[in-house]
Amino acid sequence: MKRVKEEPNMETKFSVIDEKNIDKEAIAQAGQILKEGGLVAFPTETVYGLGGDALNKESSRKIYAAKGRPSDNPLIVHIAELDKLEAIVQEIPESAKKLAKEYWPGPLTMILKKSQLVPMETTGGLQTVAVRMPNHQVALELIKAAGGYVAAPSANTSGKPSPTLACFVKEDMDGRIDMILDGGQVGIGLESTIVDLTEEMPIILRPGYVTKEMLEKTLGIPVASDRTMMHADCKEAPKAPGMKYRHYAPKGDLTIITGEEQSVVERINCLTKSMREKGEKVGIIGTDETIAKYHADSVKSAGNRKEEETIARELYRILREFDDEGITVIYSEGFAEDGIGQAIMNRLLKAAGHHVENV
Ligand code: AMP
Ligand code: MG
């Protein structure tokens, strides 16, 4: 699929903005840029988004170019008010109403049948549209100022980890977009859960903070998961086009080691020793519980196993830091595949190209 990444050719404005005391002028300026077809990166509660007017096909084209994203990988349309949903979809199923009531604004994206209003450029040629209402005051104000519909994928160069801080957006997007709104570190750190509501049974296409169990509880019916989410051996194409691309990839060669804690620590130390002898620069992703037990060029704790939210928040930052440190080989501990752990494991598995060793 066509992938064009244009050279940086513009000046990018950078504006620090406080969610609790929003600078109305900065929002008005950013909203105007979006209305005129420009691009603005902004914080959400999941990761930073790269926004453009979702109803302007030229803006969507610019988003693909700035990210170097394949143009068959559809964008999520962000709204700030529920009554804006009707115009961009053919119908709002009961399930969508229930989920919106429970989880919006929040880290849940719903796939619905699109209306004529949404250009094919925004949906990557699909007849469906992904919609979300983010839970971040800056994002909500910006969407309103832009006219109500902001297409926003994560604000990273395609293939790199999603940005959880504005400095990472700057690293990837400086000179390629009109403005960056710096709202500090994001709260969740992993992208939204995506649920497809266009078929009889709801199906999760990407795991996130809102889990299968939570969706089932709200809907009162079973919810399926796209099998390709966690299995490398799956021959089917993922239903979310973006999930087929190797995402979140650090420069170093990443392997996940799973198993009982002591065996994992021993195996990682053993692998690290032999790789360092071969001249590799090794980074390890451990947890607060284990990092003191590791010896490598760079050892980082992703957070506390008892609070997996901390791991979700730090994971992408760590992967980017290893890139900056010139790490060539990375070993990571595995995480439980339930709750937010499933989303963490899904992103790690993709970053590792499904390279896992169980000890
Ligand atoms: P990002 O915006 O970078 O978080 O990526 C958006 C994700 O949503 C990608 O994996 C897309 O493939 C997926 N997506 C967006 N729109 C649709 C859609 N209409 N149907 C299925 N997946 C979608
Ligand atoms: Mg992304």
Side-chain angles (χ1 to χ4, degrees), residues 264-274 284 293-296:
V264 168
V265 170
E266 278 166 22
R267 181 67 180 148
I268 289 182
N269 275 333
C270 169
L271 287 166
T272 299
K273 189 163 173 282
S274 75
I284 295 175
K293 300 179 189 166
Y294 290 119
H295 314 281

Side-chain angles (χ1 to χ4, degrees), residues 47 67 69 73 153-156 160 162-163 191 206 247-248:
V47 299
K67 282 179 63 81
R69 177 167 171 133
N73 187 356
S154 49
N156 52 289
K160 284 184 71 175
S162 297
E191 303 84 351
R206 177 172 75 186
H247 258 117
Y248 325 118

Side-chain angles (χ1 to χ4, degrees), residues 67 69 73-76 111 123 126 128-130 152-154 191 194 205-206 239-243 247:
K67 282 179 63 81
R69 177 167 171 133
N73 187 356
L75 311 175
I76 295 174
I111 310 284
T123 64
L126 297 178
T128 54
V129 61
S154 49
E191 303 84 351
I194 302 180
L205 308 187
R206 177 172 75 186
K239 288 192 164 47
M243 299 299 272
H247 258 117

Side-chain angles (χ1 to χ4, degrees), residues 106-359:
L108 180 69
T109 296
M110 300 188 220
I111 310 284
L112 299 163
K113 291 185 182 134
K114 83 171 194 73
S115 75
Q116 292 283 341
L117 201 59
V118 188
M120 285 291 196
E121 283 74 6
T122 301
T123 64
L126 297 178
Q127 292 295 347
T128 54
V129 61
V131 194
R132 175 166 110 84
M133 190 189 292
N135 187 17
H136 194 293
Q137 226 33 58
V138 173
L140 294 169
E141 292 295 320
L142 176 65
I143 295 163
K144 285 186 212 158
Y149 303 100
V150 175
S154 49
N156 52 289
T157 294
S158 196
K160 284 184 71 175
S162 297
T164 50
L165 284 157
C167 60
F168 298 142
V169 179
K170 193 161 186 224
E171 210 172 276
D172 287 8
M173 292 299 152
D174 203 16
R176 301 179 189 282
I177 63 176
D178 300 278
M179 190 172 188
I180 298 171
L181 296 176
D182 178 356
Q185 184 170 13
V186 299
I188 294 179
L190 294 179
E191 303 84 351
S192 58
T193 305
I194 302 180
V195 62
D196 184 348
L197 299 175
T198 61
E199 298 191 28
E200 214 156 290
M201 190 186 214
I203 165 161
I204 297 176
L205 308 187
R206 177 172 75 186
Y209 186 83
V210 177
T211 62
K212 182 170 181 283
E213 293 71 28
M214 288 157 78
L215 295 174
E216 286 181 337
K217 190 159 174 241
T218 306
L219 293 174
I221 52 168
V223 172
S225 293
D226 188 350
R227 244 190 62 73
T228 62
M229 256 168 29
M230 309 301 276
H231 302 275
D233 60 345
C234 194
K235 299 275 184 293
E236 299 153 40
K239 288 192 164 47
M243 299 299 272
K244 70 175 177 275
Y245 294 106
R246 184 168 176 221
H247 258 117
Y248 325 118
K251 289 183 194 141
D253 199 6
L254 169 62
T255 305
I256 306 166
I257 312 292
T258 59
E260 189 264 317
E261 185 180 296
Q262 191 52 32
S263 317
V264 168
V265 170
E266 278 166 22
R267 181 67 180 148
I268 289 182
N269 275 333
C270 169
L271 287 166
T272 299
K273 189 163 173 282
S274 75
M275 280 300 166
R276 290 177 87 189
E277 278 164 12
K278 286 184 192 150
E280 303 287 354
K281 203 169 168 195
V282 180
I284 295 175
I285 305 177
T287 46
D288 291 354
E289 290 85 347
T290 55
I291 48 161
K293 300 179 189 166
Y294 290 119
H295 314 281
D297 296 283
S298 181
V299 180
K300 293 178 195 289
S301 170
N304 190 318
R305 277 196 185 273
K306 287 182 208 79
E307 294 167 71
E308 286 198 324
E309 282 80 11
T310 58
I311 298 169
R313 199 176 307 136
E314 301 304 334
L315 181 66
Y316 287 150
R317 179 181 59 78
I318 289 177
L319 293 177
R320 281 185 177 255
E321 281 176 4
F322 280 150
D323 283 355
D324 292 342
E325 292 166 17
I327 296 293
T328 56
V329 172
I330 306 167
Y331 296 109
S332 175
E333 295 177 5
F335 297 93
E337 288 187 24
D338 54 5
I340 184 82
Q342 189 181 44
I344 297 170
M345 240 353 224
N346 165 267
R347 307 310 195 271
L348 257 184
L349 283 166
K350 284 166 132 309
H354 285 270
H355 199 185
V356 186
E357 188 186 313
N358 188 255
V359 290

